[in-house]
Amino acid sequence: MDIVRLDIRVPEGWSCWFALALAPHGTYAGFAELSHQGIARCALVITRQLSSDAAVRRATARAEHFVRQWMPQRSPGPDISGSTTVPGSA
């Protein structure tokens, strides 16, 4: 199985690469890693897609969704207990 590594466009400060592979039955699958300021934050698994374009679109959509969900939480703020939290700082 040949694997192609692609860069996925994400907002500034983020980077994302996607390892795309052609599966034995002619479908495409892969995994992606998202990093924020050089620190790995998320690994995405992209299951069987009918084309390589569909797999890249799925990886891009999932990466964009993760970044959108992460960004509002990046500013420190009080949680219910009143302490300040930032995702990934535990």
Side-chain angles (χ1 to χ4, degrees), residues 1 3 9 15 22 28 42 46-47 53 57 60 77 79 89:
M1 185 180 320
I3 296 176
R9 184 177 296 163
S15 62
L22 175 60
Y28 292 83
C42 178
I46 305 304
T47 57
D53 287 341
R57 283 193 308 271
T60 301
D79 65 7
S89 66

Side-chain angles (χ1 to χ4, degrees), residues 11-59:
E12 187 175 335
W14 289 86
S15 62
C16 181
W17 56 265
F18 178 48
L20 175 66
L22 175 60
H25 298 290
T27 58
Y28 292 83
F31 60 92
E33 180 181 281
L34 274 148
S35 298
H36 183 250
Q37 298 177 344
I39 300 170
R41 298 291 184 191
C42 178
L44 303 170
V45 175
I46 305 304
T47 57
R48 296 184 294 172
Q49 302 296 308
L50 297 178
S51 69
S52 60
D53 287 341
V56 171
R57 283 193 308 271
R58 176 67 56 95

Side-chain angles (χ1 to χ4, degrees), residues 8 10 16 34 44 58-68:
I8 302 287
V10 287
C16 181
L34 274 148
L44 303 170
R58 176 67 56 95
T60 301
R62 300 276 313 274
E64 289 171 353
H65 181 266
F66 181 86
V67 170
R68 274 194 318 271

